[in-house]
Amino acid sequence: MARYSTKPVALHQLLEQNSLACSAQHTQLLRQLNTELIRFLQLEQSAFCKISTIKAGRLMILCQSPAWATRLKMQRDAILANFRQKILPELAGIDIEVSPNLQLQYEKPEPVPQKDLPKISEQAADYLLAAADTMDGKLKEKLQKLAELAQRRSTTN
């Protein structure tokens, strides 16, 4: 008389069956494929196309314009060979579709606003020049440049 009808299962097997772990692996794989696609197309960021899903061993690439879809279709075999070699050897094929409403949002660094630099008075510039006269080498050059900058600002105002 067996008390339990199923045998114990190893923990790693249970975790492999977890849908959350599978979706995390799927997301990581898509991220790697998108990075490799950007590298292959020699772009800084993929603002025109992205890999959306993998279903039944086929990769789906969405493009914003027909021009990009045509470019990708012309390079489909090279992209497929690259992906098979570097990331996913069991990849069966690539499907390319145009989706004009595709929103490719990437975090772009916001431009840093230019701050008003502190203004140096003419008197401070004179002190810098006097201090530069007693110095040698690079420090003397730096102090003189700083004083000249202060004097140029005062003449432009």
Side-chain angles (χ1 to χ4, degrees), residues 70-141:
T70 303
R71 178 180 176 186
L72 290 175
K73 285 177 184 177
M74 289 173 54
Q75 295 180 341
R76 182 187 324 223
D77 293 335
I79 294 170
L80 182 60
N82 186 22
F83 285 164
R84 282 180 180 163
Q85 180 185 13
K86 293 186 177 179
I87 299 173
L88 200 59
E90 63 271 5
L91 190 61
I94 296 177
D95 296 325
I96 300 169
E97 290 186 7
V98 177
S99 177
N101 296 329
L102 181 66
Q103 296 294 322
L104 295 175
Q105 303 270 336
Y106 292 99
E107 292 183 21
K108 295 180 182 175
E110 295 181 16
V112 178
Q114 292 289 336
K115 295 180 181 177
D116 290 335
L117 297 175
K119 308 232 184 310
I120 298 176
S121 66
E122 289 182 35
Q123 184 180 9
D126 291 338
Y127 289 143
L128 288 172
L129 286 174
D133 290 338
T134 62
M135 301 291 169
D136 290 333
K138 290 185 180 181
L139 183 58
K140 180 177 183 174
E141 293 173 16

